[in-house]
Amino acid sequence: MNNPPIADEALKTTPLHALQVALGGKMVPFAGYEMAVNFPLGVLGEHKHTRAAAGLFDVSHMGQVRLHGPGRAEALESLLPADVANLAPGAMRYSQLTNDQGGIIDDLMLTNAGDYLYLVVNGANKDGDLAHMQAALPGGITVEHRTEDALLALQGPAAAAVMARLAPGAETLLFMTSRAITVGGLDCYVARSGYTGEDGFEISLPAEQAEELARLLLAQDEVEAIGLGARDSLRLEAGLCLHGHDIDTTITPIEAGLNWSIQKRRRQTGGFPGAAVIQAQLRDGPARKRVGILPEGRAPAREGAVIVDSDGADIGVVTSGGFGPSLGGPLAMGYVHTEHAAADTPVGLVVRGKTLPARVAKMPFVAANYYRG
Amino acid sequence: MSNIYFTEDHEWILVEGDIGTCGITEFAQEQLGDIVYVELPEAGREVVQNDEIAVVESVKAASELYAPVSGEVIESNDELTDDPAKVNVDAMGDGWFFKIRISAMDELENLMDKAAYDALVAGQS
């Protein structure tokens, strides 16, 4: 048994830290914050509850950024490969800040909020992202880090019913759209999005009102507090990338299978960092690809496990792996040479010196349940 | 005189004659959370004290168990393979991992008694 990490006094806290502790959260360091990895329900129970009803996640550690100024859409397009200029008010896109090699500095959600662009970036990367945007965007664009805003996610098949009760009309939002909505009397910015594969909402509001909203949501019969552990197992079953693990500065969006997030105009005209690399990979195919992997036995393969072919030759590495509570077994994602990337290709996973049989599998591992109207 | 001993790595060993039954402590199972997989040693395997001997995995992470004493594995708790959550339910009882024929009884002197282990855990929780 390894000893558990001991909480660091220097860690930052989110506006819901006191509530997480009061709810019995097991607090751990994550992305520079002390946050709950699970609550008394436990990772398995929290995961299953989210897929069956609704889970409330505190994701206030993530960076919320507003870009102001004329020409902001075109300016942001110089840093990432999504079509921002043609994004309708309220519409959202998933994208990636790229470097000159086409690698992913960070992945993010961007929204045309009307008067500004609203970005949500990873907590662990937000300081670097802010510095990058401030340095690279033209002088007329203001980068505003919303440090006094909290972010809550309500995820699961019952999320819409909960929102309909507290914020009538919110349940009509379509997947990947957003608008300002009053939730339980509190002014919020609500998006139909998430990181679980389930229907759900992400709700931004001033930090000082976050606990009031969280308590109101938790008071609904369908809702349980969910920690980081289940957040990770839910996103893994949904086949969603975690930056720093499944994607990083050495991996392109094409290798990661995120082609769908690069709209046609940007593929053709480029104009983002690493465009030449990414356009070449779109044309010729990448040498390696992100794939889902299902071990045949019960043993999970964790991040770093080497993937081998039927001859035992090294063909890649696992970047996320564990146990899928809804799947009821182990699952992983990782990178393999493209010739081994087809679904059902038999591979081996080297775990504690033994090669375990596995197969390349389509993702998501658990079907998505998004609300598209 | 108590016949249960503990390691700093949160294993327990219950000694009856020269046979020790081993598992992970209640504190350990609480720290790990929902256990989804165990890898148990095969009967007949000879181990030296502190050898890696078994694996326990929660949803989130894998951890190793180390042999609390030297000896020969005589039995593993195969029920855990199909129902690893037994470790969460009864870590100190039905959730035992393996039994070992102890080859060096004096190694037990390196381990903690319950009072010492409880004091260790009190400092970590």
Side-chain angles (χ1 to χ4, degrees):
Chain A
M1 282 294 308
N2 307 321
N3 288 323
I6 291 163
D8 182 347
E9 298 297 326
L11 291 168
K12 292 181 279 189
T13 57
T14 74
L16 294 180
H17 182 268
L19 179 60
Q20 291 187 30
V21 172
L23 292 170
K26 182 178 155 194
M27 308 306 284
V28 300
F30 180 77
Y33 287 79
E34 184 179 83
M35 300 184 72
V37 67
N38 61 264
F39 293 93
L41 186 55
V43 177
L44 269 180
E46 291 168 29
H47 178 116
K48 289 180 175 174
H49 184 86
T50 302
R51 293 240 187 274
L56 180 66
F57 302 72
D58 177 16
V59 287
S60 302
H61 63 296
M62 300 190 80
Q64 299 186 73
V65 181
R66 293 181 182 182
L67 300 185
H68 304 273
R72 56 187 175 270
E74 292 73 18
L76 185 59
E77 284 192 356
S78 71
L79 299 185
L80 50 74
D83 184 338
V84 187
N86 294 305
L87 199 55
M92 311 169 64
R93 268 186 183 141
Y94 169 75
S95 191
Q96 310 85 31
L97 295 169
T98 49
N99 62 26
D100 289 340
Q101 292 73 46
I104 300 171
I105 296 170
D106 198 7
D107 63 340
L108 55 82
M109 296 289 267
L110 70 91
T111 302
N112 178 358
D115 297 335
Y116 55 90
L117 290 170
Y118 167 51
L119 275 56
V120 178
V121 303
N122 282 298
N125 297 334
K126 62 186 177 185
D127 293 339
D129 293 347
L130 286 160
H132 173 63
M133 287 190 282
Q134 275 155 354
L137 291 172
I141 308 298
T142 310
V143 179
E144 182 197 3
H145 186 194
R146 299 285 295 182
T147 55
E148 298 304 314
D149 284 352
L151 190 62
L152 279 65
L154 182 70
Q155 300 279 297
V162 170
M163 291 298 279
R165 196 179 306 140
L166 302 176
E171 75 282 5
T172 64
L173 277 172
L174 301 181
F175 180 57
M176 295 298 272
T177 67
S178 61
R179 63 186 161 88
I181 297 177
T182 303
V183 184
L186 302 168
D187 290 336
C188 299
Y189 194 82
V190 178
R192 196 84 181 245
S193 57
Y195 192 46
T196 59
E198 294 298 325
D199 183 21
F201 301 83
E202 290 175 301
I203 308 168
S204 177
L205 80 170
E208 64 267 25
Q209 293 165 348
E211 184 166 334
E212 182 181 348
L213 178 63
R215 287 186 181 277
L216 176 64
L217 290 167
L218 290 168
Q220 310 303 308
D221 284 346
E222 301 94 329
V223 182
E224 290 283 348
I226 311 297
L228 295 167
R231 183 167 180 257
D232 192 54
S233 56
L234 287 159
R235 71 91 196 167
L236 183 52
E237 283 186 343
L240 299 170
C241 293
L242 175 59
H243 192 273
H245 301 264
D246 311 301
I247 49 177
D248 62 30
T249 55
T250 70
I251 295 170
T252 72
I254 311 309
E255 293 169 327
L258 303 173
N259 309 35
W260 56 269
S261 68
I262 308 178
Q263 285 72 35
K264 190 175 170 188
R265 176 174 65 83
R266 303 306 313 278
R267 294 184 189 209
Q268 290 170 346
T269 58
F272 52 88
V277 175
I278 286 170
Q279 287 172 318
Q281 289 183 351
L282 280 166
R283 186 178 61 239
D284 305 331
R288 59 177 175 173
K289 280 186 180 172
R290 183 172 64 97
V291 295
I293 300 166
L294 286 174
E296 289 178 5
R298 296 181 61 108
R302 305 283 176 175
E303 180 177 2
V306 170
I307 307 169
V308 297
D309 67 11
S310 48
D311 297 326
D314 181 338
I315 57 166
V317 65
V318 169
T319 52
S320 284
F323 180 86
S326 300
L327 191 68
L331 75 177
M333 63 171 85
Y335 284 82
V336 294
H337 298 314
T338 301
E339 63 265 33
H340 302 284
D344 295 328
T345 304
V347 295
L349 302 172
V350 182
V351 176
R352 291 180 287 272
K354 281 178 271 187
T355 300
L356 309 177
R359 284 183 183 274
V360 173
K362 287 207 171 79
M363 291 190 286
F365 297 100
V366 172
N369 182 29
Y370 301 132
Y371 180 72
R372 301 180 194 271
Chain B
M1 177 82 189
S2 173
N3 59 344
I4 186 162
Y5 301 84
F6 298 85
T7 73
E8 290 181 355
D9 298 311
H10 308 286
E11 293 108 3
W12 55 266
I13 177 168
L14 177 69
V15 180
E16 291 159 296
D18 65 345
I19 304 299
T21 302
C22 304
I24 67 169
T25 65
E26 180 63 21
F27 174 80
Q29 75 77 17
E30 266 180 31
Q31 290 292 317
L32 284 167
D34 298 301
I35 290 166
V36 296
Y37 177 74
V38 297
E39 193 170 287
L40 300 168
E42 288 185 10
R45 184 172 150 196
E46 299 271 355
V47 293
V48 173
Q49 189 176 34
N50 299 325
D51 277 358
E52 279 185 27
I53 189 168
V55 175
V56 55
E57 301 207 20
S58 65
V59 179
K60 211 35 198 158
S63 299
E64 290 78 32
L65 273 73
Y66 302 95
V69 290
S70 306
E72 179 192 349
V73 175
I74 57 166
E75 187 183 355
S76 278
N77 184 2
D78 292 330
E79 288 186 24
L80 296 187
T81 307
D82 292 329
D83 187 10
K86 263 190 182 354
V87 181
N88 294 117
V89 175
D90 191 10
M92 307 292 291
D94 286 349
W96 63 277
F97 277 62
F98 57 88
K99 295 184 181 183
I100 188 166
R101 178 171 287 116
I102 303 168
S103 61
M105 296 296 286
D106 57 342
E107 286 176 352
L108 293 168
E109 292 166 17
N110 304 336
L111 306 180
M112 283 175 276
D113 63 11
K114 185 168 188 311
Y117 180 73
D118 287 348
L120 173 84
V121 166
Q124 288 185 7
S125 53

